[in-house]
Amino acid sequence: SPARRDLGSPRHTMAPSGRDFDVVIYGATGFTGEWVAREALLQASGASVALAGRSEAKLHALAQALAAELCLREPPAVLVADAEDAASLDKMCVRAKVVVSCVGPYRFWGEPVVSACVRGGADYIDISGEPEFIERIAVDYGKAAKEAGVLVVSACGFDSIPCDMGTLMAAQALRDAGGVPRSVEAYISMGTDDGRNVVGHYPTWQCAVMGVGAAGELRTLRRRAKKEGSLPPPAPVEGPKLKIHRGWHRVAALRPARWAFPFIGSDASIIRRTMGHLASTPEHAPPAFAPVQAAVYLTVSSRWYMWLFTFFGALFKFLAQRRWGRKLLLKYPSTFSNGAFSRAGPSKEDIEHTNLRIDFIAKGTGGGGKVHCALTGPEPGYALCSRVCAAAALTLADASERGGAVPEGGVVTAGVAFCRTALMKRCAARGVRFECLSKED
């Protein structure tokens, strides 16, 4: 029989005194939560991992299944907690060093968990890609989290660790080549190795629908944040302003060339916050840091996909801005996404055959004028998301790795939290790799 492993056993813990678990996965029985739980146990290497959620029966069933699948000596512990029961969240958070929230849409279920973590002294991360929620938490909890010494880091999945960390690493690659980085453009490409469609799960679609519907709330929030000074000021940058392409454009620098359009996710706003924070708080920045301008684009391989994306994107935007339209989008996800999202979600085979590539073009002045880097990995929404999220949680939980490299508290981006840690080495060990492909003077 396979050798049994001590992954996630409470007897093998690096949790500090008074904390029973290094990492608690809240929402572990959900579609994405199960992926994150599996990855956290795979990467645990002596850390204690517990599973949390509303249903004790489902949690025990998942714990037993993961223990059998991963050859654990004993199942991970389970904790019953509900976002609508503050007392249960408090009991969960006081036992955890890091809580990973996998329960979305976050605009509905995210804030109670953040609040409980701040009260209970547990660091918090999530996999949200919802700009309004992410920035609202920064505005409403930034001061309280800093005073409590609690680190709150949203968007620790596909949104936005690859683009946020990749932008910092591409700028560093240009710096290492002798240049002075001024801008980094990221180009996201997703595909499959056997021609099947890329498929997403309904909760992701739900988050996107509600996020676009909340665009007015986001604008109001940003005006409030600017007035209060509750978000980092824009980073000062030198040199000409980076041209942001508002429509489709052909990117000849990619091989083969692809068509690109501004990505509507949270990545661009996250990167701007990272640059502003590191510029205004240099003690959190990596050596020789200088802020860069950034842009994030989604790419497709042909004009046909470009027009298809344009049609469904315009229809989605039109409907998501209207209450009756949101009801239609949520009722018929497959129809209005051209099959890209469904209530059933992707199969295991769909995920295994899907891959991600993000090209980073960093430009500047000096000896190294331009570098081309790339981050590659598995399917982004669940496989890559779970790997980078688990790596982020375990990085925060490991005091020996964390040291003085991570801010002591506050609401920050992944780039701020992890730019001086070995997070990306953890990710590389799980198949999410960054490399420099070429450089030009």
Side-chain angles (χ1 to χ4, degrees):
S1 62
R4 311 300 284 182
R5 295 185 290 174
D6 283 316
L7 296 182
S9 167
R11 298 175 302 171
H12 295 264
T13 179
M14 58 186 180
S17 175
R19 301 280 166 169
D20 297 323
F21 306 106
D22 293 296
V23 175
V24 171
I25 311 299
Y26 175 65
T29 58
F31 190 89
T32 310
E34 182 176 333
W35 277 86
V36 175
R38 180 181 292 104
E39 268 300 317
L41 291 167
L42 273 171
Q43 297 183 35
S45 187
S48 54
V49 177
L51 313 183
R54 291 182 299 176
S55 171
E56 186 173 9
K58 289 182 179 180
L59 287 167
H60 278 297
L62 176 62
Q64 293 288 344
L66 291 177
E69 177 187 340
L70 303 176
C71 299
L72 308 184
R73 290 191 179 278
E74 58 185 315
V78 302
L79 305 174
V80 178
D82 188 334
E84 295 184 299
D85 181 353
S88 70
L89 292 178
D90 287 341
K91 290 178 182 178
M92 173 184 74
C93 291
V94 296
R95 300 185 68 185
K97 186 173 182 185
V98 179
V99 171
V100 181
S101 177
C102 299
V103 179
Y106 289 88
R107 63 182 285 106
F108 301 138
W109 309 112
E111 185 174 355
V113 188
V114 176
S115 181
C117 283
V118 172
R119 291 194 302 270
D123 289 337
Y124 166 97
I125 71 173
D126 64 38
I127 50 174
S128 172
E130 304 167 41
E132 191 274 337
F133 166 78
I134 293 169
E135 296 186 29
R136 175 162 50 84
I137 292 302
V139 170
D140 291 345
Y141 286 88
K143 182 179 179 181
K146 190 170 184 179
E147 290 175 349
V150 168
L151 202 61
V152 175
V153 193
S154 283
C156 287
F158 168 57
D159 296 276
S160 294
I161 282 180
C163 282
D164 198 13
M165 294 295 293
T167 295
L168 290 170
M169 295 170 75
Q172 183 59 51
L174 181 57
R175 197 175 292 114
D176 292 343
V180 179
R182 302 299 188 200
S183 68
V184 177
E185 294 172 290
Y187 298 92
I188 301 171
S189 304
M190 290 175 271
T192 59
D193 55 23
D194 61 358
R196 70 179 67 201
N197 291 329
V198 177
V199 181
H201 197 219
Y202 179 76
T204 305
W205 173 258
Q206 188 181 20
C207 290
V209 171
M210 302 311 294
V212 173
E217 296 175 41
L218 179 59
R219 287 191 292 270
T220 300
L221 177 67
R222 286 176 173 170
R223 287 194 293 268
R224 173 190 157 198
K226 184 177 181 179
K227 183 178 180 180
E228 296 176 353
S230 49
L231 290 177
V237 291
E238 298 180 5
K241 185 177 180 180
L242 175 65
K243 178 182 178 181
I244 306 294
H245 296 273
R246 301 300 178 186
W248 289 101
H249 62 288
R250 188 170 181 271
V251 187
L254 305 183
R255 295 289 186 269
R258 296 176 67 88
W259 294 90
F261 186 83
F263 186 49
I264 63 170
S266 60
D267 298 83
S269 60
I270 291 283
I271 295 169
R272 287 195 295 271
R273 280 181 56 207
T274 294
M275 295 299 160
H277 184 115
L278 295 179
S280 60
T281 317
E283 62 269 24
H284 295 161
F289 168 80
V292 297
Q293 302 174 79
V296 182
Y297 301 98
L298 181 67
T299 77
V300 297
S301 59
S302 68
R303 288 180 181 270
W304 165 247
Y305 285 113
M306 180 182 74
W307 292 117
L308 199 64
F309 188 94
T310 299
F311 172 77
F312 280 95
L315 181 62
F316 176 87
K317 184 177 180 180
F318 175 82
L319 293 174
Q321 292 175 336
R322 293 158 176 82
R323 180 176 298 180
W324 61 267
R326 290 193 290 275
K327 290 181 179 179
L328 279 176
L329 290 172
L330 295 175
K331 188 174 183 179
Y332 304 106
S334 183
T335 300
F336 288 107
S337 68
N338 194 36
F341 290 90
S342 72
R343 292 183 181 276
S347 66
K348 183 178 180 181
E349 290 73 25
D350 290 331
I351 291 174
E352 288 176 348
H353 287 279
T354 304
N355 53 70
L356 171 74
R357 177 187 174 100
I358 306 178
D359 289 270
F360 296 90
I361 309 296
K363 298 178 182 178
T365 58
K370 181 172 78 171
V371 298
H372 183 176
C373 304
L375 181 146
T376 56
E379 184 278 333
Y382 310 100
L384 178 141
C385 173
S386 60
R387 296 181 192 190
V388 301
C389 178
L394 290 163
T395 297
L396 289 186
D398 189 345
S400 64
E401 180 178 337
R402 180 171 173 167
V406 176
E408 293 183 1
V411 181
V412 300
T413 64
V416 173
F418 301 111
C419 64
R420 297 190 297 164
T421 71
L423 169 65
M424 296 310 290
K425 289 184 179 179
R426 284 183 180 266
C427 293
R430 293 294 296 136
V432 181
R433 299 184 175 91
F434 181 92
E435 62 179 326
C436 186
L437 304 177
S438 64
K439 57 183 178 180
E440 301 176 13
D441 293 334

